[in-house]
Amino acid sequence: MPSLFDPIRIGAIEAPNRIFMAPLTRGRATREHVPTPLMAEYYAQRAGAGLILTEATGISREGLGWPYAPGIWSDEQVAAWKPVVKAVHDAGGRIVCQIWHMGRLVHPDFLGGEKPVSSSATTAPDAAHTYEGKKPYAEARALEIDEIPRLLEDYRRAARNAIAAGFDGVQIHAANGYLIDEFLRDGDNKRTDAYGGSIENRVRLLREVTQAVADTVGKDRTGVRLSPNGLIQGTDDSNPEPLFVAAARALSEIGIAFLEMREPGPNGTFGTANHPPIAPAMKRVFHGPLILNSDYDGRSAQAALDEGNADAIAFGRTYLANPDLPVRLAADAPLNKDVASTWYSQGPEGYVDYPTLAASKAA
């Protein structure tokens, strides 16, 4: 069985190890969702990852409702991403852009007061982060059938822009209760048209978005994130295993470069599972590299590879606090602890000031 430190081919990308950096929302872009020079320093520090999956990046104004999160729909955003990507490449790294539509989790404050869109007219629980603090979510409106071609073009444009900015590929965010996940799961999807009801219909938008992106940038530069866990941000499914197996089969038929999944256990730190793991059944029908993510440490990550459950592991908060994570795992060295109060704050604190192992030893 492979080691975490063995190389792996991910579509068009040759990854030098199997310790990937998971997408991590950090809120260091501008209020206009333009990347900043500080982001170049942050990602370059983590270029030792086999592959960096960027923080979720909005495909459109309609789809982005997180304060200070980056977008990739405008020329200004593309220009600002270029030095970020170049810094990673100059440091020897590989980086793909995770493209994101938040669906009903976009607060109307980001939309000039308009309703967000979703699979159906539903309301997310809890509250949204806005520039004025947390506010209750608003009821979404159901995306109309005749709007779907426009949505697909938003994804195509974001994917084209990502390649224009120099990214090695893109990852479609189809997890965690955001738009595509809201179409997948019957807890939110109450449609009676071709995008609702049966599993085949609920998988349709995922298939169409993925095909559109693959046709735009190449299937060998296209990945997808799914989250076959239980309830997350108000989104759940009554019978998740056949749903997510069907989704994995559809993605395998398209021939995407990789599938990355968040599947936390019963004590997961962001979403929990109320059923046995679905990833093994998905791996039987998805024939590309499978990357697992959620609460792994070095030993459990290697065990997942040894057991044949995954081809690589994506580390989240561990990478947030340990820019040289592969070095630390190879040395079985202590890990820095992340500081939750700086996860989404602006500025360098808790962002680019976590020490490397070498710096800690020299101190």
Side-chain angles (χ1 to χ4, degrees):
M1 287 296 174
S3 159
L4 285 170
F5 306 98
D6 287 337
I8 182 173
R9 186 172 184 85
I10 302 291
I13 301 168
E14 292 284 355
N17 61 62
R18 298 167 187 244
I19 302 166
F20 290 7
M21 178 177 169
L24 294 161
T25 296
R26 301 308 311 276
R28 261 68 176 193
T30 70
R31 192 178 176 115
E32 291 73 38
H33 308 297
V34 177
T36 59
L38 191 63
M39 292 168 59
E41 181 179 357
Y42 168 77
Y43 281 114
Q45 287 177 344
R46 290 154 177 80
L51 181 64
I52 294 173
L53 308 173
T54 71
E55 63 205 279
T57 300
I59 66 168
S60 63
R61 291 189 183 278
E62 174 194 82
L64 186 54
W66 190 279
Y68 302 105
I72 196 158
W73 65 81
S74 73
D75 291 344
E76 183 183 10
Q77 291 163 342
V78 173
W81 271 117
K82 286 181 178 180
V84 178
V85 176
K86 183 177 185 299
V88 171
H89 287 161
D90 287 350
R94 296 134 183 88
I95 183 169
V96 304
C97 183
Q98 188 188 69
I99 55 177
W100 192 31
H101 192 302
M102 293 176 64
R104 68 179 186 173
L105 297 173
V106 178
H107 192 274
D109 281 6
F110 292 90
L111 304 172
E114 296 293 321
K115 285 188 172 186
V117 299
S118 184
S119 58
S120 305
T122 60
T123 306
D126 304 320
H129 292 271
T130 77
Y131 289 114
E132 298 174 356
K134 286 195 169 185
K135 294 185 178 182
Y137 285 107
E139 184 182 64
R141 66 175 181 83
L143 192 72
E144 300 290 342
I145 286 274
D146 61 9
E147 294 181 280
I148 288 178
R150 183 265 301 165
L151 176 70
L152 296 178
E153 182 52 37
D154 287 345
Y155 275 100
R156 292 189 192 97
R157 179 184 62 205
R160 283 194 301 268
N161 285 349
I163 299 303
F167 282 103
D168 298 299
V170 297
Q171 183 193 44
I172 300 161
H173 196 339
N176 297 353
Y178 297 115
L179 181 67
I180 296 175
D181 206 21
E182 292 162 13
F183 271 79
L184 285 172
R185 304 204 214 194
D186 60 14
D188 288 343
N189 188 336
K190 308 301 182 184
R191 302 175 75 99
T192 57
D193 59 19
Y195 292 85
S198 68
I199 286 175
E200 179 184 4
N201 283 357
R202 285 183 279 128
V203 170
R204 191 181 307 277
L205 184 65
L206 170 66
R207 183 191 289 273
E208 290 180 350
V209 167
T210 305
Q211 191 67 63
V213 170
D215 289 346
T216 300
V217 303
K219 62 186 180 182
D220 60 345
R221 296 190 184 275
T222 301
V224 171
R225 165 175 265 208
L226 294 173
S227 55
N229 47 285
L231 182 68
I232 186 164
Q233 301 200 103
T235 300
D236 205 355
D237 193 80
S238 63
N239 192 13
E241 181 163 331
L243 168 65
F244 283 102
V245 168
R249 183 180 290 110
L251 296 173
S252 191
E253 289 169 356
I254 293 171
I256 61 171
F258 67 94
L259 173 59
E260 185 237 353
M261 297 194 301
R262 286 196 76 260
E263 190 172 30
N267 299 311
T269 51
F270 180 57
T272 58
N274 54 7
H275 48 74
I278 299 173
M282 296 171 71
K283 197 172 192 308
R284 288 194 288 272
V285 301
F286 181 76
H287 303 304
L290 183 70
I291 300 133
L292 293 183
N293 163 248
S294 195
D295 302 313
Y296 283 96
D297 58 21
R299 288 182 176 83
S300 61
Q302 184 60 56
L305 300 190
D306 292 343
E307 293 161 5
N309 293 331
D311 300 293
I313 301 295
F315 293 84
R317 287 183 309 280
T318 318
Y319 238 124
L320 181 158
N322 297 275
D324 59 341
L325 183 61
V327 173
R328 289 177 181 267
L329 293 182
D332 197 22
L335 299 178
N336 299 322
K337 300 295 185 184
D338 62 286
V339 179
S341 62
T342 60
W343 284 356
Y344 310 126
S345 59
Q346 285 68 68
E349 183 181 1
Y351 190 59
V352 295
D353 58 354
Y354 286 105
T356 63
L357 181 60
S360 296
K361 288 181 175 179

